[in-house]
Amino acid sequence: MSFDGDLTRSTAAALAAAIKGGDVTAAEVTQAHLDRIAKVDEKVHAFLHVDTEGALAKAAEVDAKRARGEQLGPLAGVPLALKDVFTTKGVPTTCGSKMLQGWVPPYDATVTRRLREADVVILGKTNMDEFAMGSSTENSAYGVTHNPWDLSRIPGGSGGGSSASLAAFEAPLAIGTDTGGSIRQPASVTGTVGVKPTYGGVSRYGLVAFSSSLDQGGPCARTVLDAALLHAAIAGHDPMDSTSIDLPVPDVVGAAKLADVKGMRIGVVKQFDGDGYQDGVRQRFHESVDLLRELGATIVEVDCPSFDYALPAYYLIAPSECSSNLARFDAMRYGLRVGDDGVNGVEEVTSLSREAGFGPEVKRRIMLGTYALSSGYYDAYYGSAQQVRTLIMRDFDRAFADVDVLVSPTTPTTAFKIGERADDPMAMYLADLCTIPSNMAGNAGMSIPVGLAPEDGLPVGLQIIAPAMADDRLYRVGSAVEAALNGKWGRPLIQEVPSL
């Protein structure tokens, strides 16, 4: 099998096939990616921790299985970058926060465990906005991650480390989490593929909680098929997660291989195509809609009026749940402890530790959420936001009664400059304008790259949204668009990323 002399630019599917066929060893593939990380990550800063010893040991285990004639799984020996919000036994988990600096979990998250069982090689933990709160990865306590397309720009957030690792060819696969768009928005601005599965489709056990009714782990990759293979490896019911759905996993891999939209009805969301969208983003989006029509789909305009209220409702619900979830970081059991001098009491130590351990954005959301839940304001704020959430679900139900999937731009603009929105929280929050409704309803969403914006030469993403437990429709549509565009361009868009 030919890799054009560079293992790091191959797809996960091709690497797995080569390892299984004996064309290359898992150790060689892993070492190539570790070498790539050593070469470029000083500029990109995608990783917070690289587990060289653990990765090489896992690769050796895969090679030993093959030597014994054991059957290898679809992703055996393929390297992966894991967002630092999933617990990893024996490997630091910080959530991008000083509050958990140096914490080494005693157990694996279910996603981590399933990756290990699938013989995926975990290279290390990726950078993220602190406790997954942000849209740029600028809120990490350990420094900003840079977008490989332009190192002066953000890689999206909160999972910018995972998306940047893919675009920098440091890993062929990555895992992210999506609370309001933190898989899809980074995928959009880095020219990669990111999927938010149906809420409950992938276990949240061991995923450090930000907003429990919204958080969802999911796959990130450079191709739709690679994302499908990873989705299949991590999805499925988990008795350790009370919100896990006890239903068969949709055939996402089969759908990705189908790559056909003939006869499908595809809705264009009226609310996500107007003022406030960058011209190049709108241009590539409309080209994508025209392409879907050419491929045999019927295009229908869909009106979802409650989507206009999704952003403010989200920024009441998510902070409210965050203020409850982050109360566990009290400096008593694990994590940072400040002021424990034998004089200060429990409350003083907790207060000093939170002051030192939490960053500005986390404090902002805790305060906002605590206020929204306070006596006398609960119904006016949190209660009203939940009513809006119900209206959003109803809009989706009406839309999906008429169409198979919905499409929109993933995010209103391409990647913005680092620091450009740091002092303007509202401008930062607007990056998730198109992605938030899917989290509020709990259905499935995907972002795929559909070209570069003419005005700045940066990637643009197409968002595809499917009903709950119809995740396979995402892959059917996404792979069809990907195949058509690759044929048009003659090569995958990701190959255009500037060399680091």
Side-chain angles (χ1 to χ4, degrees), residues 10-13 75 78-81 162-169 171-176 183 186-188 190-195 218-231 446-449 475 482 494:
S10 180
T11 66
L75 291 175
V78 178
L80 174 140
S162 289
S163 64
S165 73
L166 297 171
F169 298 99
L173 297 173
I175 293 288
I183 288 176
S188 178
T190 57
T192 57
V193 177
V195 180
C220 311
R222 291 193 292 262
T223 72
V224 174
L225 177 58
D226 284 357
L229 290 167
L230 183 54
H231 188 146
M446 167 188 281
S447 179
I448 60 169
Y475 291 93
E482 178 185 69
I494 193 67

Side-chain angles (χ1 to χ4, degrees), residues 49-74:
H49 176 80
V50 179
D51 184 19
T52 301
E53 183 179 342
L56 290 173
K58 185 64 175 181
E61 181 184 318
V62 173
D63 289 334
K65 282 188 175 182
R66 185 186 179 280
R68 292 192 299 268
E70 295 183 27
Q71 184 69 26
L72 298 182

Side-chain angles (χ1 to χ4, degrees), residues 131-133 179 208-212 215 314 318-319 321-322 325-326 365:
F131 288 107
M133 299 180 200
T179 305
V208 180
F210 158 24
S211 181
S212 301
D215 297 339
Y314 172 89
E321 295 184 5
C322 136
N325 278 323
L326 269 62
R365 297 198 194 194

Side-chain angles (χ1 to χ4, degrees), residues 62-257:
V62 173
D63 289 334
K65 282 188 175 182
R66 185 186 179 280
R68 292 192 299 268
E70 295 183 27
Q71 184 69 26
L72 298 182
L75 291 175
V78 178
L80 174 140
L82 182 61
K83 187 176 181 180
D84 198 26
V85 71
F86 289 94
T87 57
T88 43
K89 184 177 181 180
V91 177
T93 300
T94 70
C95 297
S97 177
K98 289 182 180 178
M99 183 61 79
L100 287 176
Q101 188 169 12
W103 181 57
V104 179
Y107 70 102
D108 277 338
T110 295
V111 165
T112 308
R113 176 177 58 79
R114 287 180 173 169
L115 290 170
R116 298 194 199 280
E117 290 172 350
D119 286 329
V120 172
V121 176
I122 300 174
L123 295 169
K125 309 296 286 293
T126 56
N127 199 15
M128 57 182 284
D129 284 300
E130 185 179 7
F131 288 107
M133 299 180 200
S135 303
S136 65
T137 317
E138 292 174 285
N139 294 329
S140 171
Y142 305 105
V144 66
T145 296
H146 301 263
N147 191 326
W149 288 86
D150 180 345
L151 294 174
S152 70
R153 295 178 184 268
I154 59 100
S158 63
S162 289
S163 64
S165 73
L166 297 171
F169 298 99
E170 296 175 297
L173 297 173
I175 293 288
T177 60
D178 197 307
T179 305
S182 291
I183 288 176
R184 290 163 290 159
Q185 184 254 4
S188 178
V189 301
T190 57
T192 57
V193 177
V195 180
K196 184 200 86 68
T198 296
Y199 179 81
V202 173
S203 174
R204 291 188 302 110
Y205 177 73
L207 191 171
V208 180
F210 158 24
S211 181
S212 301
S213 73
L214 300 166
D215 297 339
Q216 184 57 66
C220 311
R222 291 193 292 262
T223 72
V224 174
L225 177 58
D226 284 357
L229 290 167
L230 183 54
H231 188 146
I234 62 174
H237 179 248
D238 178 20
M240 300 296 288
D241 175 5
S242 63
T243 62
S244 177
I245 298 174
D246 191 5
L247 290 172
V249 178
D251 184 12
V252 294
V253 175
K257 292 177 178 178

Side-chain angles (χ1 to χ4, degrees), residues 79 94 96 148 169 192 197 201 217 222 235 280 287 299 343 346 353 361 395 424 499:
T94 70
F169 298 99
T192 57
R222 291 193 292 262
E287 290 172 355
I299 305 299
V343 177
V346 170
S353 299
E361 181 63 24
D395 273 357
D424 189 349
S499 178

